[in-house]
Amino acid sequence: MASSLAVALVVAGCSSSSGSKGSAGPPSTTTTRSGTVVSTGPKAELAAITAGGKPFMGSANTSALKPSGYEEHEYVASGTATSYRAEGTTGADGKWSFSPDTSAPYRTRVLVRRPTNAKKFSGDVVVEWLNVSGGLDADPDWASLHEEIIRRGDAWVGVSAQLIGVEGGPVLVSVPVQTDVLGKGLKKIDPARYGTLNH
């Protein structure tokens, strides 16, 4: 389904929970004869989030998904992330080489919006690194593109990829959401739902 494909794309740069320092290499893919791209690189453990309230998103866009034939699912993605170090200089030409450096465990939130009817799925996934300028996770790309995403039948995946989205932090821009959540991060907004997240 779309959620599985989207999550595979999102976490392609993460290794499994058995990874160790310097052991994870770059993600890789294999294309089958049918043209399907299969990730052969590191993957995350996935689990549906069912505790606490409903999925949180600090966004002014409240357009209903169901009337558009879409549904929303939220997951915890966990595993071991690997950082990379530059080998040599990073010149202005953009041709740089990197190698694995250190690793650390993570547990983050992945939000999937997809067609309810799998036959209406286009096969394309739009992945959004959620914006934290308001001190919390927001989805400005979905807000701007949701009409086209829905028209095409694409899936959308929002990833809580930044520390501020999970733990909270400074508010750099005004966001039209309830002010009591600004700067708090997912863990403080809904501890029952997001308390186990770890950036």
Side-chain angles (χ1 to χ4, degrees), residues 27-71:
S28 59
T29 59
T30 300
T31 304
T32 65
R33 289 183 189 181
S34 65
T36 303
V37 176
V38 178
S39 175
T40 56
K43 295 177 180 67
E45 301 279 329
L46 291 179
I49 301 177
T50 57
K54 60 181 183 176
F56 175 83
M57 187 61 63
S59 174
N61 179 29
T62 57
S63 59
L65 294 172
K66 283 187 180 180
S68 302
Y70 267 63
E71 60 190 20

Side-chain angles (χ1 to χ4, degrees), residues 81-85 99-103:
T82 301
S83 67
Y84 291 82
R85 67 176 178 273
S99 60
D101 191 10
T102 61
S103 60

Side-chain angles (χ1 to χ4, degrees), residues 54-65 72 109 111 113 128 130-146 156 158 173-179 181-182 186 189:
K54 60 181 183 176
F56 175 83
M57 187 61 63
S59 174
N61 179 29
T62 57
S63 59
L65 294 172
E72 183 174 72
R109 180 266 294 264
L111 190 62
R113 297 172 182 156
E128 181 171 359
L130 296 173
N131 186 291
V132 297
S133 298
L136 45 72
D137 275 348
D139 55 357
D141 291 344
W142 171 263
S144 299
L145 301 171
H146 70 276
W156 173 91
V173 298
S174 173
V175 180
V177 296
Q178 60 207 59
T179 56
V181 298
L182 292 177
L186 292 171
I189 290 169

